[in-house]
Amino acid sequence: MPSSTTPAPVSGATRPGNDLAGRGARIELTGLSKHYGDFTAVDDVSLVIEPGEFMTLLGPSGSGKTTTLNIIAGFAGPSSGSLKVDGTAIESTPAHKRDMGVVFQHYALFPHLTVAENIAYPLKRRGVPKARRAELIDAALATVHLGDYGHRYPRELSGGQQQRVAVARAIVYSPRVLLMDEPLGALDKKLRDWLQLEIKRIHAELGTTFVYVTHDQEEALVLSDRIAVFNHGRIEQVGPASELYERPGTLFVAKFLGESTVLRGEATPEGDGSVVGVCARHLRAPGRLDGTRAAIVVRPERLEVRPAGHEPGAGWNALPATVAGEIYLGSSRKLELTLPDGSPALVREQAGALSDARRGDEVTLTWRVRDSVILADDPEVEAVFT
Ligand code: ADP
Ligand code: MG
């Protein structure tokens, strides 16, 4: 199973300027599994989350993200494996003693309490004296930019404001970990885009370790120091967004994160790389894959369209193609191409660097060998994504 061992550069240092700032905890999952009867919801997950890191658990519905988060939170016990926080095993520590804040998709504010009373709740449970409570509530409301809303009731707030109150309530006691399960899932896109930036800012201000669940790959790209891609209860790959995008380790990761053209063929090893037969052509790709069904994956912005008959230079691959469609996107243009075997290819051209290609044209599709990756083909991935 390919995975990155390189943690993102993170700072666990206390940030000045926010009264709730503190040092984030290190979380270590080792061989974690969760079974429900015969069904395996989480399957041998190992993951280290560094102090102060923003880690996103990304995957399709049912892939085990929430179950993993619930095990970290203490809402579910693992069937096997270990969970450590700062080196201490906490599988048997009850949820309320784990020093973790939690935010769910549905805000779960107490409707009969004001915003300030909602935020006071976890402080009261911890026996924080009243004067100190008031200071901390002010700091939490200021952090989520709702300074003037303490006296309102949840029903008097918009969905986005209620979710910011839920964040304030989760951070008010300076937990060393903040767990969020699709917190923006119920909000419309504009609000979501803005709150993503708010969450990123709050993370930077607090220094807390964030573990964030989403099925939205764009959201994961915006927010994360690193992303763990889940599929069928397992982690397929862990790494910074750029690494998952540029160097996906499996076809599932390549298809789940961003757009790509997948060229399927038969791999043969050759010196420092592989050659794959696709549409009766030999294509080169970096990396070795020995004598199996292979897929070469290329991102749309790495593909170029040239006139038919164009001869590729050294270090380039080329395939004949037909332009099947054009999509104008303002800052860029997408070209949908069809390859000789009928399979599709997707090219993205930046405005200002558009080719002359039009719908119906015969063209040459070309790309640098080093801008592609070769991966084991996986028929199941085709079933999921088509
Ligand atoms: P995700 O958050 O990625 O959508 P979940 O972790 O919620 O996925 O669920 C993973 C799988 O485990 C799903 O197939 C789900 O139906 C199953 N599952 C989750 N909780 C339970 C439960 N309490 N009993 C039985 N199956 C469960
Ligand atoms: Mg879920």
Side-chain angles (χ1 to χ4, degrees):
M1 204 53 43
S3 72
S4 167
T5 51
T6 321
V10 289
S11 164
T14 304
R15 323 287 159 111
N18 189 312
D19 287 348
L20 304 178
R23 192 174 180 282
R26 181 175 194 269
I27 305 171
E28 193 174 352
L29 317 181
T30 310
L32 216 61
S33 294
K34 179 70 178 177
H35 308 293
Y36 292 109
D38 289 345
F39 183 76
T40 303
V42 175
D43 189 3
D44 193 23
V45 161
S46 295
L47 181 65
V48 174
I49 306 168
E50 299 294 339
E53 188 169 22
F54 199 123
M55 172 67 79
T56 297
L57 314 185
L58 173 70
S61 176
S63 58
K65 309 179 296 293
T66 292
T67 306
T68 301
L69 201 76
N70 284 345
I71 291 171
I72 298 174
F75 302 141
S79 307
S80 56
S82 80
L83 169 65
K84 287 184 181 164
V85 173
D86 287 335
T88 304
I90 60 157
E91 295 91 0
S92 49
T93 306
H96 68 275
K97 294 203 171 146
R98 288 194 182 187
D99 195 21
M100 297 178 180
V102 185
V103 180
F104 298 106
Q105 179 169 346
H106 296 287
Y107 350 104
L109 299 177
F110 300 115
H112 59 288
L113 299 181
T114 64
V115 164
E117 288 164 351
N118 265 281
I119 300 171
Y121 185 80
L123 298 174
K124 283 187 183 167
R125 279 189 53 158
R126 286 168 172 77
V128 177
K130 194 165 182 191
R132 181 65 182 145
R133 283 209 301 264
E135 289 170 8
L136 293 173
I137 292 165
D138 283 349
L141 282 172
T143 301
V144 300
H145 290 165
L146 283 178
D148 300 329
Y149 288 73
H151 297 291
R152 296 226 196 164
Y153 284 89
R155 65 174 177 276
E156 298 170 328
L157 303 178
S158 70
Q161 289 169 336
Q162 290 187 43
Q163 204 53 313
R164 281 148 70 197
V165 175
V167 171
R169 188 175 60 178
I171 62 174
V172 70
Y173 51 94
S174 299
R176 300 186 58 197
V177 176
L178 186 63
L179 307 175
M180 307 180 94
D181 192 350
E182 313 237 8
L184 310 181
L187 307 174
D188 66 51
K189 173 146 172 58
K190 265 235 160 72
L191 192 54
R192 221 162 54 218
D193 289 350
W194 178 68
L195 284 175
Q196 282 168 11
L197 300 180
E198 284 290 288
I199 288 172
K200 213 171 151 77
R201 172 186 61 77
I202 292 167
H203 173 253
E205 278 185 25
L206 296 183
T208 307
T209 305
F210 276 39
V211 189
Y212 191 98
V213 164
T214 183
H215 65 272
D216 180 340
Q217 48 114 4
E218 274 180 45
E219 186 161 291
L221 293 179
V222 169
L223 289 172
S224 319
D225 291 320
R226 285 190 302 156
I227 300 169
V229 180
F230 276 67
N231 185 23
H232 291 312
R234 304 180 69 94
I235 294 181
E236 292 245 343
Q237 191 172 2
V238 188
S242 58
E243 191 178 300
L244 300 192
Y245 187 80
E246 304 288 345
R247 295 282 150 214
T250 66
L251 199 50
F252 180 86
V253 171
K255 295 281 274 187
F256 199 78
L257 211 79
E259 294 176 312
S260 51
T261 293
V262 177
L263 305 161
R264 296 192 149 80
E266 197 73 40
T268 49
E270 185 209 52
D272 57 349
S274 290
V275 177
V276 182
V278 175
C279 304
R281 306 289 169 121
H282 280 117
L283 303 179
R284 282 163 209 285
R288 288 175 67 101
L289 205 64
D290 295 338
T292 49
R293 296 294 298 167
I296 291 180
V297 173
V298 200
R299 299 300 189 180
E301 64 279 8
R302 302 288 184 179
L303 290 172
E304 293 178 21
V305 165
R306 297 286 166 82
H310 170 84
E311 288 297 325
W316 289 72
N317 283 314
L319 278 176
T322 307
V323 180
E326 298 173 51
I327 304 168
Y328 174 74
L329 293 167
S331 62
S332 67
R333 173 173 84 147
K334 274 190 203 171
L335 290 177
E336 296 169 332
L337 308 185
T338 307
L339 301 175
D341 67 356
S343 61
L346 188 65
V347 179
R348 184 187 283 269
E349 300 177 330
Q350 290 306 313
L354 302 184
S355 67
D356 297 331
R358 291 285 174 270
R359 203 169 117 87
D361 286 355
E362 304 289 327
V363 298
T364 299
L365 182 62
T366 179
W367 68 95
R368 283 180 201 276
V369 170
R370 65 159 194 252
D371 288 339
S372 60
V373 290
I374 188 163
L375 300 168
D377 198 1
D378 179 352
E380 197 195 318
V381 166
E382 207 49 25
V384 172
F385 290 100
T386 53

